Amino acid sequence: MTALTRGSGRPNQWLRNLNAKIASIPMILTAVVIFLGGTIWTVVYSFTNSKLLPRLSFVGLDQYERLWAAPRWIISIQNLALYGFFSLVFSLVIGFVLAALMDQKIRFENTFRTIMLYPFALSFIVTGLVWQWLLNPQFGIQSIVRSLGWESFSFDPLYDADIVIYGILIAALWQGTGLVMCLMLAGLRGIDEDIWKAARVDGIPMWKTYVLIIIPMMRGVFITTLVIIASGIVKVYDLVVAQTSGGPGIASEVPAKYVYDYMFQAQNLGQGFAASTMMLITVAIIIVPWAYLEFGGGRKRG
């Protein structure tokens, strides 16, 4: 009788699926203690003058002022903005186009899908090393094309400070576009066949069917894919280290590498914590709107 709410005769909401709630306690404790606790710890110590070891010697906003006055940090933010914008645009466009082509019931679809998804199975370090070799002017793409007779051909983005970030972008697109294609293909396969038939009967051109009907219906797929791509952009590190190690000079620095270098090489934990906190804010700017659209205002309230 204690499990019944007063006057309703229904089980108490808190006692529904009790076994599942008990089983989830370890996961909840892990999330609260490790993730939330670690986040709070990082933010708190970003206001300290910690060097080799963390210490509660508060210096206010000094670490943040030093951070935003550092040319290396500014360059890393500029690189992240360029890399992020083009990565989002090209990943979504190329991934959707490939998915649309794959959705035409082509022959050997499984083979093509496996080939396109295969790069995603490689680690970022392996991908970076492969593309470092391919973009090397001595024995990569430039050398091969010149050996075919085009002596004036030049393609060495990793050795040009002005375009080095685009060389890293090429490797990232090669690795990540296959995953985007699979996500988009799953969304396209979820579209009711009757919608396609109705569009053909009404004489709507194929491109208009995609732009005006199909893409709006795939809103959830696009939002999820956008979050996956954006979270990968913010934490990009492996590709940069494998291809350029931040060079030439500091031309290809990114925030994640800045954090690692200051925390584990320069032995300046306070500065590394401050940079980590700025990355956390960036991730929050991405995740919070997505969570609101998916679980909050984006749903009809009953």
Side-chain angles (χ1 to χ4, degrees), residues 21-92:
K21 291 177 180 178
I22 293 175
S24 67
I25 290 176
M27 181 188 67
I28 295 173
L29 290 177
T30 301
V32 171
V33 174
I34 296 179
F35 295 105
L36 184 59
T39 298
I40 295 173
W41 190 83
T42 299
V43 174
V44 169
Y45 276 90
S46 71
F47 296 99
T48 68
N49 193 29
S50 300
K51 295 296 184 182
L52 178 60
L53 296 174
R55 58 176 182 174
L56 283 173
S57 175
F58 290 100
V59 292
L61 297 175
D62 284 1
Q63 295 290 1
Y64 292 93
E65 292 175 357
R66 195 174 303 143
L67 178 69
W68 286 102
R72 184 178 174 186
W73 174 255
I74 300 301
I75 289 175
S76 70
I77 293 297
Q78 292 172 346
N79 286 335
L80 187 66
L82 282 173
Y83 174 86
F85 174 78
F86 288 110
S87 182
L88 276 175
V89 172
F90 285 117
S91 293
L92 288 174

Side-chain angles (χ1 to χ4, degrees), residues 12-175:
N12 191 307
Q13 293 288 340
W14 290 99
L15 297 180
R16 289 184 178 181
N17 301 321
L18 185 60
N19 291 335
K21 291 177 180 178
I22 293 175
S24 67
I25 290 176
M27 181 188 67
I28 295 173
L29 290 177
T30 301
V32 171
V33 174
I34 296 179
F35 295 105
L36 184 59
T39 298
I40 295 173
W41 190 83
T42 299
V43 174
V44 169
Y45 276 90
S46 71
F47 296 99
T48 68
N49 193 29
S50 300
K51 295 296 184 182
L52 178 60
L53 296 174
R55 58 176 182 174
L56 283 173
S57 175
F58 290 100
V59 292
L61 297 175
D62 284 1
Q63 295 290 1
Y64 292 93
E65 292 175 357
R66 195 174 303 143
L67 178 69
W68 286 102
R72 184 178 174 186
W73 174 255
I74 300 301
I75 289 175
S76 70
I77 293 297
Q78 292 172 346
N79 286 335
L80 187 66
L82 282 173
Y83 174 86
F85 174 78
F86 288 110
S87 182
L88 276 175
V89 172
F90 285 117
S91 293
L92 288 174
V93 172
I94 296 173
F96 184 81
V97 170
L98 290 175
L101 294 174
M102 200 73 67
D103 195 42
Q104 304 305 311
K105 308 296 189 295
I106 62 175
R107 296 180 63 184
F108 307 112
E109 176 189 332
N110 291 336
T111 302
F112 286 120
R113 190 168 56 206
T114 301
I115 292 173
M116 293 180 185
L117 189 59
Y118 173 74
F120 187 75
L122 301 176
S123 72
F124 285 104
I125 292 294
V126 172
T127 298
L129 292 175
V130 167
W131 278 96
Q132 182 193 54
W133 179 85
L134 289 173
L135 298 177
N136 190 303
Q138 300 300 321
F139 44 79
I141 296 174
Q142 176 177 298
S143 177
I144 294 173
V145 174
R146 287 187 177 183
S147 68
L148 297 176
W150 194 356
E151 296 293 337
S152 62
F153 179 79
S154 179
F155 187 65
D156 56 347
L158 297 185
Y159 298 85
D160 187 338
D162 293 329
I163 60 173
V164 62
I165 196 66
Y166 301 107
I168 296 171
L169 176 65
I170 292 172
L173 291 175
W174 179 79
Q175 182 168 32

Side-chain angles (χ1 to χ4, degrees), residues 188-201:
L188 288 171
R189 292 288 164 84
I191 302 296
D192 195 334
E193 188 65 27
D194 291 337
I195 294 175
W196 294 103
K197 292 179 181 178
R200 286 194 292 268
V201 170

Side-chain angles (χ1 to χ4, degrees), residues 80 83 124 168 172 231-240 254-257 279:
L80 187 66
Y83 174 86
F124 285 104
I168 296 171
S231 61
I233 289 169
V234 173
K235 63 183 182 181
V236 61
Y237 171 80
D238 313 62
L239 280 176
V240 176
V254 289
K257 186 175 181 300
M279 291 180 65

